[in-house]
Amino acid sequence: TKIAGFDLIACGGLPKGRTTLVTGTAGSSKTIFATQFLAEGINHANEPGVFVTFEESPDEICKNMAGFKWDIRKWEAEGKWAFVDATPSPEIEMVYMENFDLGALLARIEYAVKKVNAKRVSIDSMGNIFTQMPKSLNVRNELHRISIAIKNMGVTAVMTAERTDEYGEIARYGVEEFVADNVIILRNVLEDEKRRRTIEILKFRGTYHQKGEFPFTVTPGEGII
């Protein structure tokens, strides 16, 4: 990933061509991890990326991440970064939910991947995909469909998901971790009136990694270290 501290505990980084679920409570740095995964790929590995957003608009992401010196708009102009904006506007939200088409979304992602020849994809966040789906759809089946489609695009993907408790269910729907190849948990625990951020690799399919929780910090200009 070129995120130095993570690569150390992951014994080299993320396995290429696989999907990784990054889960955590609000404020645990999920979006930062997803953004930095693409930024480091561009800066240090010459690997373009696609960012699929369901929560914040592309403009909001660019503004929020500017403090880390990641010039996303410049990368867009250079054909190294592409957004897939899947944030429904308030006036069409109900219509969007009733007519949600996962196939169309995957086609948009694939188009963006081909456009910039992406090697990395970040999806933020999986939970917001399912809140937009009709209740008649099976979450596990649809997540499996997403995972297979992403793999077929030949990219390495990070997918974020929110959890409600630091040491509770892995993710909100209770099925996300069974479909992703790898699972990473970010925690932001309050201890003695101070926040302590940790990262844990819960599952790495087919490869070795260090076990347990490891502390990390988020630093302006650098991101996760």
Side-chain angles (χ1 to χ4, degrees), residues 13 21 29-30 38 61 71 79 98 113 123 130 138 149 154 158 164 183 214 216-217 225:
L21 180 71
S29 306
K30 298 183 299 299
L38 299 191
I61 292 170
D71 194 343
E98 292 172 3
V113 167
I123 301 177
F130 302 129
N138 182 286
V158 164
T164 56
V183 178
F214 295 84
F216 73 92
T217 60
I225 59 175

Side-chain angles (χ1 to χ4, degrees), residues 76-89:
E76 275 191 293
E78 294 171 347
K80 299 176 181 178
W81 180 296
F83 278 110
V84 174
D85 185 0
T87 55
S89 59

Side-chain angles (χ1 to χ4, degrees), residues 19-22 30-31 34-35 37-38 50-55 84 86 105-106 109 120-129 143 146-147 150 153 155-161:
T19 57
T20 298
L21 180 71
V22 177
K30 298 183 299 299
T31 300
T35 307
F37 173 62
L38 299 191
V50 170
F51 195 101
V52 186
T53 177
F54 286 85
E55 295 185 352
V84 174
L105 171 64
L106 293 173
I109 296 173
R120 304 184 182 203
V121 170
S122 287
I123 301 177
D124 188 41
S125 74
M126 299 302 293
N128 276 29
I129 297 178
L143 180 57
I146 293 170
S147 181
I150 293 294
M153 294 177 199
V155 298
T156 305
V158 164
M159 308 179 295
T160 72

Side-chain angles (χ1 to χ4, degrees), residues 22-218:
V22 177
T23 181
T25 57
S28 59
S29 306
K30 298 183 299 299
T31 300
I32 294 174
F33 188 101
T35 307
Q36 189 170 351
F37 173 62
L38 299 191
E40 300 295 357
I42 293 169
N43 279 334
H44 300 294
N46 193 30
E47 294 184 349
V50 170
F51 195 101
V52 186
T53 177
F54 286 85
E55 295 185 352
E56 300 173 294
S57 70
D59 281 340
E60 289 173 324
I61 292 170
C62 290
K63 290 176 183 176
N64 293 340
M65 299 299 159
F68 298 109
K69 299 180 181 179
W70 300 329
D71 194 343
I72 296 174
R73 290 305 187 194
K74 175 175 175 288
W75 293 333
E76 275 191 293
E78 294 171 347
K80 299 176 181 178
W81 180 296
F83 278 110
V84 174
D85 185 0
T87 55
S89 59
E91 59 270 18
I92 66 167
E93 186 169 357
M94 292 308 299
V95 175
Y96 186 83
M97 288 176 67
E98 292 172 3
N99 297 281
F100 183 86
D101 186 345
L102 183 59
L105 171 64
L106 293 173
R108 290 176 62 194
I109 296 173
E110 185 173 13
Y111 174 81
V113 167
K114 291 180 178 178
K115 180 180 178 182
V116 299
N117 192 28
K119 305 301 179 186
R120 304 184 182 203
V121 170
S122 287
I123 301 177
D124 188 41
S125 74
M126 299 302 293
N128 276 29
I129 297 178
F130 302 129
T131 59
Q132 295 170 15
M133 288 182 180
K135 293 182 179 179
S136 59
L137 292 180
N138 182 286
V139 170
R140 184 163 185 162
N141 289 346
E142 295 305 297
L143 180 57
H144 190 62
R145 182 180 169 193
I146 293 170
S147 181
I148 291 175
I150 293 294
K151 286 181 183 180
N152 288 340
M153 294 177 199
V155 298
T156 305
V158 164
M159 308 179 295
T160 72
E162 189 160 311
R163 61 198 308 229
T164 56
D165 187 84
E166 297 291 1
Y167 292 96
E169 293 289 335
I170 301 302
R172 185 180 299 274
Y173 289 89
V175 298
E176 295 93 327
E177 67 268 29
F178 297 108
V179 179
D181 295 310
N182 315 308
V183 178
I184 297 168
I185 300 176
L186 302 179
R187 294 188 176 94
N188 188 24
V189 180
L190 183 63
E191 292 181 350
D192 297 327
E193 300 182 359
K194 293 182 180 180
R195 288 287 176 183
R196 179 175 178 267
R197 297 180 187 271
T198 64
I199 185 168
E200 177 186 5
I201 298 175
L202 182 68
K203 179 177 77 171
F204 251 25
R205 195 170 281 170
T207 187
Y208 181 78
H209 63 90
Q210 294 191 49
K211 310 297 192 296
E213 291 185 65
F214 295 84
F216 73 92
T217 60
V218 178

